[in-house]
Amino acid sequence: MRRAFELARSVLSCAPNPRVGCVIVRDGRRAGEGFHAGAGREHAEIAALAADPDSGAGATVFVTLEPCSHEGRTGPCTRALIEAGVKQLVIAGLDPNPQVSGVGQLEAAGIEVFRFEDFVAEAAELNKGFLLRMNLGRPFVRCKLAMSLDGRTALADGQSKWITGPEARADAQLLRAASCAIVTGVNTILADDPALNVRPDALKGGDRVLAETRLAEAGQPLRVIVDSKLRTPRKAKTLSLPGEVKIFSLWGRDAARFPDSVELISASASQERVDLEFVLNCLATRFECNEILVEAGPILGGALLTAGLIDELVIYMGARLLGSDARPLLEFAGPDSLTQSEALEIVDAGVIGDGLRIVARPAAR
Ligand SMILES: NC(=O)c1ccc[n+]([C@@H]2O[C@H](COP(=O)([O-])OP(=O)(O)OC[C@H]3O[C@@H](n4cnc5c(N)ncnc54)[C@H](OP(=O)(O)O)[C@@H]3O)[C@@H](O)[C@H]2O)c1
């Protein structure tokens, strides 16, 4: 099963599908292995069986997720496993997709099915975005921020390039490559004119291969601008780069001024601004985004946090001080007492270049 997870992780994203790896064991030996490389590509079980068509007879199949039982873009994996003569199936995660009920079909065909309890949490982590989309109708929201050692994200006049070093910026490229959409606020577009695209040449070695594979399979992630009054300039850099741009706005008029690759989406409003739940719901349902990366300033980040819509903060801390006039990490109304403050759990932390990388999640979830 550990090898099956390694295989699943050999792609950054299979969206809208989950990431899945599979290993076939026969006569105590590994007889085949495979993974799902992306939507429309063969599923992990089919890829593993294809390595050796005879490998399934009497075999035990280890797969990180319950096999599918429906005719999607590819045929049902349950049928392939039954036809191959598989004896036992070991799975880690169950598929919440209502169209998938592979376990029942396999058991009815006489295949023994086991759930490997030790890997249930790893299966949930591997496909956290897919699971959230299926269960809650929104993607996994990762918010990336660069801050100084005194917790500031830009000077008072808006300058924020560069608080962190090249290693941190390269690492952030990998986060983009793992995401279905990169989301920002209009103020960041106005202040920084960012590209918001994946640039594999910023990466090295295996990371570069992962990013290049993602681009080859699925193209650039969507670039999303949250812009209530449609202040995005027509000449903003991100609008003219390869890939699609979605602008969520309450102001639908001058759509014609943008290039064809830009879609203006009329959002519902919350307190006279774009309703963020509407944005996330649209990214999940219409664009089938599993994981998204927010790269915005403190206002949009703070609004998402207040709405309970941030699942993970990735903070790159540069070894510099910006002072108390500089912008904070997130703008939101703080609690009345420390006991009421949002508790976070640090899930990862380490040195990156000459700074730190901290990954934190809301402790309650
Ligand atoms: N250090 C970092 O990691 C980092 C990253 C990105 C940016 N920055 C810096 O951050 C600064 C910009 O940050 P910012 O906080 O002013 O802007 P921002 O978070 O990029 O964008 C905020 C804007 O988004 C729009 N918006 C639409 N719907 C919203 C909603 N429901 N809730 C909140 N905002 C909504 C609002 O403008 P409308 O009301 O007009 O729609 C709002 O003013 C720049 O100086 C930039 O350099 C730093």
Side-chain angles (χ1 to χ4, degrees), residues 144-147 152-161 163 184-189 191-192 226-231 248 270 272-276 279 295-304 316 327 329 331:
K144 176 231 125 181
L145 290 154
M147 72 174 195
R152 304 287 166 164
T153 54
L155 292 180
D157 68 2
Q159 290 177 64
S160 67
K161 284 179 180 172
I163 294 172
T184 195
V186 62
N187 289 0
T188 295
I189 296 290
D192 300 348
V226 186
D227 178 4
S228 315
K229 300 185 232 27
L230 207 55
R231 293 185 287 140
F248 285 85
S270 172
E272 295 176 31
R273 278 185 162 162
V274 168
D275 180 352
L276 300 175
V279 175
E295 295 195 43
I299 293 179
L300 184 58
L304 285 163
Y316 297 100
R327 303 282 306 273
L329 183 68
E331 282 190 20

Side-chain angles (χ1 to χ4, degrees), residues 62-277:
F62 292 83
V63 60
T64 56
L65 186 71
E66 176 181 16
C68 76
S69 59
H70 68 296
E71 267 324 315
R73 294 181 181 90
T74 57
C77 293
T78 45
R79 187 169 67 209
L81 293 167
I82 294 164
E83 286 174 2
V86 167
K87 190 168 164 234
Q88 294 177 321
L89 181 81
V90 187
I91 59 170
L94 291 173
D95 195 325
N97 186 340
Q99 289 178 302
V100 174
S101 57
V103 167
Q105 269 193 24
L106 293 164
E107 285 178 334
I111 297 177
E112 285 180 282
V113 181
F114 302 94
R115 187 134 189 239
F116 206 152
E117 296 296 333
D118 293 2
F119 287 91
V120 168
E122 196 168 340
E125 177 63 26
L126 177 70
N127 286 310
K128 50 192 178 299
F130 174 78
L131 295 170
L132 261 185
R133 183 164 69 83
M134 287 294 148
N135 292 329
L136 294 184
R138 73 166 179 84
F140 183 86
V141 179
R142 180 177 285 123
C143 183
K144 176 231 125 181
L145 290 154
M147 72 174 195
S148 58
L149 215 52
D150 53 348
R152 304 287 166 164
T153 54
L155 292 180
D157 68 2
Q159 290 177 64
S160 67
K161 284 179 180 172
W162 300 107
I163 294 172
T164 53
E167 296 84 356
R169 296 202 294 279
D171 193 68
Q173 281 287 324
L174 205 58
L175 295 183
R176 283 188 185 173
S179 308
C180 300
I182 316 300
V183 179
T184 195
V186 62
N187 289 0
T188 295
I189 296 290
L190 293 169
D192 300 348
D193 197 18
L196 300 175
N197 59 354
V198 177
R199 298 187 294 277
D201 54 1
L203 294 162
K204 294 193 185 111
D207 288 349
R208 184 171 179 156
V209 174
L210 282 170
E212 283 171 345
T213 308
R214 186 249 136 84
L215 289 188
E217 283 290 334
Q220 287 284 344
L222 294 181
R223 298 190 292 277
V224 174
I225 305 170
V226 186
D227 178 4
S228 315
K229 300 185 232 27
L230 207 55
R231 293 185 287 140
T232 299
R234 185 181 33 180
K235 291 206 163 20
K237 190 195 291 170
T238 194
L239 304 186
S240 60
L241 296 170
E244 294 173 40
V245 178
K246 312 289 172 192
I247 303 180
F248 285 85
S249 185
L250 306 178
W251 194 267
R253 277 182 263 169
D254 357 294
R257 70 185 163 107
F258 294 116
D260 288 348
S261 56
V262 178
E263 183 187 0
L264 198 56
I265 298 177
S266 174
S268 56
S270 172
Q271 294 174 339
E272 295 176 31
R273 278 185 162 162
V274 168
D275 180 352
L276 300 175
E277 288 199 28

